[in-house]
Amino acid sequence: MVKVGIVGLTGCSGCQCEILNCQDALLKLLTLVDFALFPLAKDGEFDGELDLLFVEGSVSTFLDKEKLLKLREKAKILVAVGSCACYGGVQAQRNDEAELEQMIREVYGKWELPFELFKPSPLSDFVEVDYFLPGCPVDKKQFVYTVASLLNGVKPFFPKLPVCHECKLSENECLLLKGVPCQGPVSYAGCGAPCTAKGVGCQGCRGDCDFPNHQEMLSLLTQRGLSYEDAVKFLKVFRGNSFKVRGLNEKGA
Ligand code: SF4
Ligand code: SF4
């Protein structure tokens, strides 16, 4: 039977909970695969080879790094699950703004901690990642589709269209045109645009679509009343280290 591992590094475990929420699909998967390593869902140790490994969370401690390197050696295919694993996550959003010590002192009030850590980073900074499934949390359908594809020897493929594409297919009224800050034009679709359907602007939790125009997005956001600094912070929430824009420090893009 195909051996599957699902593990978490630094994160909220929300993606693993979302996988558990797959319910019927998960029950079917149980007849096809052996979830050999899934600490959130089952007891016991497993130290053998894995056919498929899903890793959630960012690499933020030396323990995370050690665990990841060890697991990579045992896994034939590694999938980064969720935006922490893919981009560093929310915890990486200010990585380029301060030194680690300054951030630790700000959060914990001291520098000395009982564990060694570094700035939150995506898995791909340390190991080869075969597939990326971003999202906060990961999309259940995409997780199931990925497992089904890989079990059938097919490479999972998700086109990096903007969220606006799915938002328009759902016939939602455009929030950006109504003055609500929304990152749909530069964010990676695949979620079905649930936020805009509820009247909340896209927060970009799945990272960038292909060819994102951050400069123009910043311009649209400032036209909707955000200061340039707040617009930059808004775009950086889930993009962390991956957010790059020419003239980032210039006011009034
Ligand atoms: S509401 Fe947002 S995602 Fe939907 S069309 Fe407008 S800008 Fe795009
Ligand atoms: S609409 Fe935006 S914030 Fe909401 S789930 Fe999709 S990518 Fe994430």
Side-chain angles (χ1 to χ4, degrees), residues 163-164 167-168 172-177 182-185 193 196 201-202:
V163 169
C164 291
C167 187
K168 291 290 94 186
N172 299 330
E173 198 177 348
C174 180
L175 298 172
L176 202 55
L177 291 179
C182 178
Q183 300 184 28
T196 56
C202 172

Side-chain angles (χ1 to χ4, degrees), residues 142 158-170 172 176 182-194 196 202 204-214 217 220 239:
Q142 291 202 339
F158 303 106
K160 297 185 83 171
L161 298 166
V163 169
C164 291
H165 176 78
E166 290 180 334
C167 187
K168 291 290 94 186
L169 285 177
S170 303
N172 299 330
L176 202 55
C182 178
Q183 300 184 28
V186 294
S187 300
Y188 184 3
C191 53
T196 56
C202 172
C205 83
R206 295 170 49 82
D208 284 334
C209 59
D210 272 341
F211 312 113
N213 188 337
H214 291 149
M217 188 74 249
L220 287 169
R239 286 171 175 81

